Amino acid sequence: MRAAVVGILGEPPSLAEHPDPVPAEGCSLVRVAAAPVVPLDLLCASGTSYFGAPAVPYVPGVQGVGVVEQSAVMAAGTRVFFATSAGMTAGDGSFAERCAVPDSDLVALPDDVPDTVVAALGLSAVAAWMALTWRARMQPGERVLVLGAGGAVGQIAIGAARALEASRVTALCRSDASRQRALAAGADDALMLSADVDELTTRLAEATGGDVDVVVDPVFGPAATAASRLLAPGGRLVNLGGASGDEATFSSSVLRSRSANILGYTNNSLTPEQRAEALTAVLRHAAAGRITVAHETVGLPDVATAWSRQAAGQIAGRLILTVEHH
């Protein structure tokens, strides 16, 4: 089969012929249609991740969309989203014509959301939805602040907060292009990030009306410091990542006086059932146009270019590899 193969750690994959996967017991064979290029793919293939250096050659791709060809748990022809552990454990991923997938990592899909849209949403959608519902326990009428709002998680979190009946959704963005994506996703207001935390706190307070009930934070760093100062009584800040650094400063008096919560989140804490339920919920809203994420499609033969663009941050949304079968 054709696949994008990492031959040397730290270098982009290239299109090559690769052995077809042979599903082990408890796995299904999926004919891949689309797969997103996400930061975790690049991290694993760098050989520097905390998972350890993967053996090469291997096929990257930690998530994808396709159709079941062979399975003991789903009928052939079932359209599915799937996750893989490519680059984290032995085995190949989704950047190929076919992929062997553990049965528990398959999620049957509705017919009303295109493959590329499902791939663009994927596990980012699971993270945004569960950060709001499971960790923050967001309630209708609450005010939500989304940091890093121009990224995939941020855009989805904006739409999800809207779908969950937030009274106001404010976005914080790094660039004007990100700001436009946040507004397109449904934010009431979108502010630009600034390096001065005091100034940022003041501007966020003006935009939000003074305080917020829920903060969705995929960036941490100074943005999280400013956001934490605006937490309402009982407010919750849910951290999903550290794109702006691994440290933030929180005021003990603010947290104590408002009984506020700083919470961590990772998709790795979810059961397969939780992941499937979250993705299904997001796709229902996506089909109705309430949740969107900017994305661009690239053919599998152009994987090296797509990979390099992702590494350089030269993207306007999620990059989706599409797989044509010959």
Side-chain angles (χ1 to χ4, degrees):
M1 67 174 182
R2 294 183 312 151
V5 180
V6 172
I8 301 174
L9 295 178
E11 295 191 6
S14 57
L15 192 68
E17 287 296 317
H18 193 72
D20 279 270
V22 178
E25 184 176 354
C27 291
S28 298
L29 184 64
V30 176
R31 180 184 175 96
V32 181
V37 182
V38 300
L40 181 57
D41 293 317
L42 276 66
L43 175 63
C44 290
S46 71
T48 62
S49 81
Y50 50 84
F51 299 107
V56 293
Y58 86 99
V59 177
V62 295
Q63 46 187 310
V65 179
V67 174
V68 171
E69 284 195 344
Q70 177 185 329
S71 176
V73 296
M74 286 190 178
T78 302
R79 187 163 159 263
V80 293
F81 170 84
F82 62 92
T84 86
S85 57
M88 295 172 274
T89 60
D92 292 327
S94 60
F95 294 1
E97 292 183 311
R98 290 175 179 80
C99 186
V101 182
D103 295 337
S104 61
D105 289 328
L106 298 173
V107 179
L109 296 174
D111 296 328
D112 49 3
V113 184
D115 291 341
T116 52
V117 174
V118 176
L121 292 166
L123 295 179
S124 292
V126 171
W129 184 263
M130 293 300 276
L132 285 164
T133 60
W134 183 53
R135 291 299 278 153
R137 301 189 182 278
M138 182 196 150
Q139 299 300 309
E142 290 194 313
R143 297 149 298 177
V144 176
L145 170 60
V146 179
L147 311 182
V153 171
Q155 292 175 65
I156 298 164
I158 290 169
R162 279 272 172 245
L164 293 164
E165 301 180 17
S167 61
R168 183 172 183 80
V169 182
T170 304
L172 184 63
C173 306
R174 186 181 295 274
S175 67
D176 186 62
S178 295
R179 182 175 180 275
Q180 296 306 316
R181 291 195 293 272
L183 292 171
D188 291 295
D189 196 4
L191 283 68
M192 298 287 286
L193 179 67
S194 61
D196 187 294
V197 174
D198 291 335
E199 177 198 347
L200 182 58
T201 302
T202 299
R203 291 196 294 113
L204 284 173
E206 293 172 350
T208 60
D211 54 18
V212 293
D213 301 292
V214 175
V215 178
V216 178
D217 169 32
V219 297
F220 217 52
T225 296
S228 70
R229 298 174 179 177
L230 302 178
L231 289 171
R236 293 86 70 201
L237 183 152
V238 184
N239 176 255
L240 299 83
S244 291
D246 197 46
E247 295 182 355
T249 301
F250 303 126
S251 164
S252 173
S253 62
V254 168
L255 297 180
R256 288 184 290 112
S257 66
R258 301 175 190 179
S259 296
N261 298 271
I262 306 295
L263 305 166
Y265 174 85
T266 171
N267 278 345
N268 293 336
S269 295
L270 303 180
T271 65
E273 292 77 17
Q274 286 176 307
R275 186 168 59 201
E277 289 172 3
L279 183 61
T280 300
V282 170
L283 293 179
R284 184 171 63 251
H285 291 296
R290 289 185 288 267
I291 296 178
T292 62
V293 61
H295 61 279
E296 173 188 349
T297 59
V298 180
L300 184 63
D302 295 321
V303 62
T305 300
W307 188 276
S308 297
R309 285 179 58 200
Q310 176 69 51
Q314 298 171 344
I315 54 175
R318 184 69 84 207
L319 285 176
I320 309 299
L321 295 175
T322 55
V323 184
E324 293 185 5
H325 292 259
H326 299 284

